[in-house]
Amino acid sequence: MQEARPSTVAVVKCPGYEEELVRRAVSAALEDIGGLVGIIRPGDKVLLKANLLAPADPGEAVTTHPAVVRAVIEAVKEAGGVPVVGDSPGYFTRAAGGKCPALSKCGLKQVADDLGIESFQFEAMEDSFIETGVPGGVYLDRIYAARLALEADVIVTLPKLKTHSNTWYTGAVKNMFGAVATRTRKEAHKLATLERFSGSIVDIYSVFKPQLAIMDAVIGMEGEGPRHGKPKPAGLILAARDPVALDAVASKIIGFDPMEILTTRQAAARGLGTGDLSAIEIVGERIEDAAVSFKKPSGRMVNIPPFVMRIADRLLKVQPECVNEDCDRCRICQKSCPVDAITMTPYPEIDRDRCIECYCCNEMCPTGAMQIKRSWLAARVSRDV
Ligand code: SF4
Ligand code: SF4
């Protein structure tokens, strides 16, 4: 096995979630980036940071597929590591009385149990989050970080390939947003602009700096991700020691310019990884051969000069709105709003002056009742929708 350069990204075809197919694809991808030697030493505690956004069946393409997590657990064990699986799906802990339906529903608990390893929702653990500094943080100087992540010898970020209503794309860097407590996530959302919010995600990422990223891009999500988009096959597994490089390649595959993904751009600018495709070695499938165009989310607009934005601000609204007939009044949106802009009357009502358009309410709504509505003008200038 050849030693790969740090910013090598493996792109391997994987046409479905049958266990053997995924096992082979993950193994080939790891081999392409030089294997796990030098990343995992025998006895290392290895946190597999899956994406467990919400309780959803694997077929909904919201969460990292259990077959991918299974293959990674097996590889880590073979390298002598001691894997645990974890994430922080957020409000569902409290909604479900301390249990974690996301872990069970997305199939990760069963995989972990089958393979004899532990699986956690961070909030459900004792002393789950530890206040810690962010050396060199630009927007956050302190965060509440998952103890499991801080104590791990190795972190493997296991993102799902998805578009995102707020950040356009969510992948290996953004996946680490789930390794901090709700209070830190709310603080980040309060930064309001996409530039600042993305910068706070990079602050969080910089604390953990995962040593390895393996992406489930077998079936991704297009459109109104990360929760309410449509499953979209891409038929790929990606792996890299540099999660920033992996995001650059994955976002390009689905039709973005990697530099318009602000988490990639800012992480690269801070020297946390490589975002420039010309400096990344791609092994396996070429981007042109792997490319699959994903429908863009409607939540953001581009290429509008700032002076036009100032004039047209009110006309260009892209705001959440509750469709009452689909709402079961669970109040999850209200609890997830970082600026307390939602009151129940008895259905959710949004204080438009307070709303910072972070779309957390849309992301967390289990029924899809909290929809993102675009004004007439916004619908016409939104890209690719
Ligand atoms: S809009 Fe969604 S999250 Fe909010 S109360 Fe209704 S169902 Fe619950
Ligand atoms: S109402 Fe929704 S979009 Fe507006 S700030 Fe609250 S959570 Fe974010």
Side-chain angles (χ1 to χ4, degrees):
M1 190 183 304
Q2 267 198 330
E3 196 174 318
R5 291 193 303 168
S7 289
T8 297
V9 178
V11 180
V12 174
K13 284 233 153 108
C14 183
Y17 283 119
E18 290 78 11
E19 274 176 27
E20 196 44 41
L21 284 179
V22 176
R23 193 175 285 124
R24 265 192 265 135
V26 167
S27 165
L30 289 175
E31 188 161 334
D32 285 346
I33 60 166
L36 292 177
V37 177
I39 301 176
I40 296 171
R41 294 162 307 176
D44 274 352
K45 280 189 275 180
V46 182
L47 172 65
L48 306 182
K49 167 61 183 73
N51 183 338
L52 272 182
L53 181 74
D57 287 328
E60 293 178 61
V62 171
T63 52
T64 314
H65 197 282
V68 176
V69 178
R70 175 184 287 276
V72 177
I73 293 171
E74 289 171 351
V76 169
K77 281 181 147 187
E78 209 178 298
V82 183
V84 295
V85 179
D87 193 13
S88 173
Y91 299 89
F92 294 94
T93 312
R94 288 190 286 281
K99 298 214 169 70
C100 184
L103 262 177
S104 310
K105 190 143 191 212
C106 71
L108 294 198
K109 178 149 184 10
Q110 292 85 323
V111 165
D113 290 351
D114 279 359
L115 297 178
I117 73 160
E118 293 185 293
S119 56
F120 298 99
Q121 175 171 343
F122 299 139
E123 288 95 334
M125 303 173 70
E126 216 167 295
D127 301 327
S128 46
F129 294 100
I130 296 172
E131 188 178 2
T132 185
V134 184
V138 177
Y139 298 101
L140 303 173
D141 54 10
R142 304 202 72 71
I143 60 172
Y144 290 88
R147 182 167 55 79
L148 259 189
L150 290 178
E151 289 176 354
D153 298 304
V154 177
I155 298 176
V156 183
T157 172
L158 293 177
K160 181 89 170 166
L161 175 63
K162 293 187 284 186
T163 51
H164 193 290
S165 293
N166 194 354
T167 56
W168 286 107
Y169 158 91
T170 174
V173 171
K174 171 98 175 25
N175 189 38
M176 295 315 295
F177 198 52
V180 293
T182 302
R183 64 178 117 174
T184 298
R185 285 188 257 173
K186 284 193 172 190
E187 201 185 319
H189 276 296
K190 281 183 193 163
L191 292 165
T193 69
L194 183 57
E195 184 82 30
R196 291 159 65 83
F197 175 54
S198 300
S200 71
I201 293 171
V202 174
D203 285 344
I204 290 165
Y205 174 82
S206 72
V207 171
F208 301 112
K209 287 200 282 288
Q211 289 87 342
L212 176 64
I214 301 174
M215 173 175 266
D216 168 11
V218 180
I219 298 180
M221 177 179 280
E222 66 174 2
E224 308 308 322
R227 177 88 189 270
H228 301 295
K230 293 216 170 73
K232 171 92 170 186
L236 298 169
I237 293 287
L238 279 74
R241 291 175 183 227
D242 175 353
V244 180
L246 183 143
D247 279 349
V249 172
S251 59
K252 180 70 180 173
I253 285 174
I254 63 172
F256 290 102
D257 169 353
M259 287 300 109
E260 73 182 318
I261 307 305
L262 296 187
T263 45
T264 305
R265 188 160 90 201
Q266 295 193 36
R270 291 197 214 171
L272 295 167
T274 305
D276 176 2
L277 286 177
S278 67
I280 296 170
E281 183 183 18
I282 297 169
V283 185
E285 302 299 318
R286 296 183 313 158
I287 286 183
E288 309 83 271
D289 299 332
V292 44
S293 180
F294 273 35
K295 188 173 189 285
K296 305 294 187 298
S298 59
R300 289 277 164 188
M301 288 154 283
V302 294
N303 298 332
I304 302 166
F307 78 93
V308 177
M309 278 302 289
R310 277 195 296 277
I311 295 165
D313 191 42
R314 293 206 160 267
L315 302 171
L316 285 169
K317 286 293 179 197
V318 182
Q319 294 182 317
E321 196 176 301
C322 180
V323 177
N324 290 352
E325 45 277 25
D326 295 333
C327 174
D328 64 9
R329 293 191 275 156
C330 67
R331 297 181 59 228
I332 286 172
C333 56
Q334 188 184 31
K335 290 180 202 161
S336 60
C337 178
V339 293
D340 297 326
I342 301 177
T343 45
M344 302 295 288
T345 61
Y347 292 99
E349 196 168 309
I350 296 172
D351 179 340
R352 300 291 171 195
D353 292 331
R354 209 171 250 241
C355 174
I356 56 173
E357 293 171 23
C358 67
Y359 312 135
C360 287
C361 50
N362 162 265
E363 196 174 307
M364 287 295 139
C365 174
T367 67
M370 189 61 84
Q371 294 189 3
I372 292 176
K373 304 273 186 189
R374 288 169 293 152
S375 65
W376 180 88
L377 184 57
R380 265 135 201 91
V381 297
S382 295
R383 46 171 285 174
D384 205 5
V385 292

